Amino acid sequence: MEIQIDRLSDLPDNLLCCNILSRLSLKDAIRASLLSHRWKTLWRNIPHIDFSLSFFDSLLKLTCRLAEMAEIKSSVKYVENVINNIILLHSTPLESVQFDLSFQGRQNRLGEKILNNVSIEQCIKGAAVKGVKRVALCYRGMSGRQVPSSLFACQLLRVLEIEGFWITEIPSDFRGFLFLKTCSLSEIGDLTDARLQQLIAVCPILEKLVIKRCAALFNLQICAPNLTYLNLGTSSIENFTADCPQLVELKIKDCFMLSKFELNSIPFLQEMEPSDISALEEIPAMKSLKKLSLRIGLDTPFGVLISTFPDLEELKITDILIQDMVAGDVASDTAFPKLKKADVFISSDIWGQKEVALLDFLLSNAPKLNSMALCNTPVGTTLFTDPEFMSHFMSQV
């Protein structure tokens, strides 16, 4: 009889954990411990623990049956014991732990009620003890759920992602996230300007910051000496000031109330995507900027763009109504001497003289231009369809 050799189990632990078990869901990774004695404790070494919706879904299928026969408190306690024990039994080091508690709307009211009452305080505390480097928290519920206070004990954090949780206060004894490099904050309803500044001030090596849909922000001041990437997407912001000397990329989207925009001492900025150029009129010339993507409003002169960013290499403009631009918008001596690529999306179904004039301007004043895309915004179609337009275009190339 031929002897079957278990070659898979002969593989080293780090290969089994990092290349096989880590690719499975948390539930399946733990279930793999039943395969043999060799696999019994392997799941404890997987570097990333993801308490995903599917994990809680399967867990709640069992506990909801128990809750129908007993108090919800016992079901809540059961879920807490499961997640706490998973962290407790995990071997160090722990690279990341992720929670998605967005059980709302999954047609399981009892499961939603149980999960809304589950505390992750001890779980995050255990992850902090094991030196977790990344924490991601997501909650999409009706009421503001507070971040666990033990989060501020994660002293070795490199990446922090929070969505839907609230940050009512920062503990007075919080020493800061001294190793944090990436921070993403979304839909934090009670995050005020002062509290955000307080948080950023104790993250000395922060490099990447994303802030989206945080409705309590109005007068935003970002002072981060090592920040290289900043992404803002909060409609309530009215005034924005950035003092980030290492900033390379800046994105501003859906900031409809933004009226004041200041960039102080940002010599290395190379890529910017503001939602509206009207807030840029008072910005001094930026010779470092290489890539710009923006929308131009009806009452903003196109010349602002030219004079502010003279050394652009890539330009993308969306939602232009060319018929509202006047000839005086662009000075005769302005140019894009280094522009290589231009993408222009026009909010107009029919191209007329002014659309052609814009094309003439870009071709005449961008000697290094080697790529251009002209599209109609509503349908996203290229506008090289009219024979007369094509003839005029080819004569200018």
Side-chain angles (χ1 to χ4, degrees):
M1 178 182 290
E2 183 180 354
I3 300 176
Q4 298 293 328
I5 300 176
D6 186 0
R7 298 185 182 278
L8 186 62
S9 294
D10 287 339
L11 295 173
D13 286 1
N14 63 336
L15 192 61
L16 290 174
C17 293
C18 298
N19 291 60
I20 298 178
L21 290 182
S22 63
R23 298 177 185 274
L24 302 177
S25 67
L26 179 59
K27 174 186 173 182
D28 290 337
I30 295 176
R31 290 174 66 184
S33 63
L34 301 175
L35 292 175
S36 69
H37 181 74
R38 169 78 171 85
W39 289 73
K40 187 175 181 179
T41 60
L42 281 179
W43 71 267
R44 301 182 184 184
N45 298 303
I46 56 177
H48 309 284
I49 293 183
D50 183 5
F51 295 107
S52 63
L53 275 180
S54 61
F55 173 83
F56 283 115
D57 205 358
S58 59
L59 190 60
L60 287 170
K61 285 180 181 178
L62 172 62
T63 192
C64 281
R65 298 193 194 104
L66 299 176
E68 291 173 354
M69 298 179 291
E71 293 184 0
I72 288 182
K73 288 183 179 180
S74 60
S75 296
V76 171
K77 190 66 176 178
Y78 171 77
V79 175
E80 290 177 354
N81 285 339
V82 170
I83 62 177
N84 290 340
N85 283 328
I86 288 175
I87 295 295
L88 181 65
L89 293 173
H90 189 276
S91 302
T92 55
L94 179 59
E95 288 293 323
S96 74
V97 60
Q98 181 168 323
F99 279 90
D100 191 343
L101 302 174
S102 307
F103 206 71
Q104 183 186 20
R106 293 175 68 85
Q107 297 180 347
N108 186 342
R109 294 295 180 88
L110 185 57
E112 180 182 341
K113 189 173 182 179
I114 293 172
L115 202 57
N116 282 342
N117 286 277
V118 168
S119 171
I120 61 174
E121 186 73 46
Q122 290 300 317
C123 196
I124 297 297
K125 184 177 181 180
V129 172
K130 296 179 183 294
V132 65
K133 295 180 175 62
R134 173 182 175 267
V135 172
L137 306 176
C138 179
Y139 173 71
R140 299 185 185 93
M142 295 301 293
S143 59
R145 179 172 186 149
Q146 302 296 324
V147 296
S149 60
S150 54
L151 174 67
F152 298 99
C154 299
Q155 296 296 312
L156 299 180
L157 273 187
R158 266 67 168 176
V159 178
L160 175 61
E161 301 170 13
I162 303 176
E163 180 179 352
F165 282 77
W166 285 30
I167 306 177
T168 300
E169 64 177 350
I170 297 176
S172 58
D173 59 346
F174 177 52
R175 294 178 296 175
F177 294 126
L178 302 182
F179 301 98
L180 190 69
K181 290 190 174 183
T182 300
C183 182
S184 178
L185 307 172
S186 302
E187 299 185 18
I188 303 179
D190 68 339
L191 183 64
T192 62
D193 300 308
R195 196 168 298 126
L196 177 60
Q197 290 179 40
Q198 181 185 0
L199 181 61
I200 294 176
V202 290
C203 302
I205 64 171
L206 187 64
E207 295 178 355
K208 182 177 180 180
L209 178 62
V210 178
I211 304 173
K212 293 188 176 182
R213 300 180 296 278
C214 296
L217 296 176
F218 299 99
N219 300 296
L220 188 60
Q221 295 183 9
I222 303 294
C223 182
N226 292 291
L227 198 69
T228 60
Y229 175 90
L230 178 58
N231 189 336
L232 300 180
T234 298
S235 60
S236 60
I237 298 176
E238 299 176 358
N239 302 309
F240 169 61
T241 302
D243 190 356
C244 310
Q246 301 298 322
L247 193 64
V248 174
E249 184 174 354
L250 172 62
K251 293 187 177 182
I252 301 176
K253 187 176 182 180
D254 299 330
C255 296
F256 305 114
M257 302 299 293
L258 185 63
S259 59
K260 185 178 180 182
F261 186 104
E262 293 184 11
L263 300 179
N264 299 324
S265 181
I266 303 184
F268 302 113
L269 188 65
Q270 295 185 12
E271 184 173 343
M272 185 160 64
E273 185 178 340
S275 57
D276 192 338
I277 194 175
S278 61
L280 305 181
E281 295 188 30
E282 298 181 0
I283 291 182
M286 293 183 183
K287 292 188 176 182
S288 63
L289 200 71
K290 306 300 180 185
K291 186 176 180 180
L292 179 66
S293 178
L294 52 76
R295 300 173 184 173
I296 290 186
L298 300 180
D299 56 351
T300 303
F302 186 66
V304 172
L305 167 65
I306 312 299
S307 60
T308 307
F309 315 111
D311 292 344
L312 283 181
E313 295 181 2
E314 294 186 28
L315 172 63
K316 179 180 179 181
I317 307 176
T318 60
D319 296 342
I320 297 182
L321 291 176
I322 297 295
Q323 59 266 32
D324 292 286
M325 294 173 58
V326 297
D329 286 345
V330 181
S332 58
D333 59 345
T334 56
F336 284 122
K338 299 181 180 181
L339 190 66
K340 298 178 181 179
K341 180 181 179 182
D343 296 333
V344 183
F345 296 81
I346 307 296
S347 296
S348 175
D349 294 328
I350 302 175
W351 274 51
Q353 293 183 352
K354 290 194 174 183
E355 284 77 12
V356 174
L358 173 63
L359 177 63
D360 285 342
F361 169 77
L362 289 175
L363 292 174
S364 302
N365 294 277
K368 294 186 178 181
L369 188 66
N370 54 39
S371 174
M372 177 184 286
L374 305 172
C375 298
N376 179 285
T377 301
V379 295
T381 55
T382 305
L383 294 171
F384 295 141
T385 55
D386 185 270
E388 182 179 350
F389 175 80
M390 279 295 296
S391 176
H392 180 89
F393 172 76
M394 295 304 297
S395 68
Q396 299 294 321
V397 176

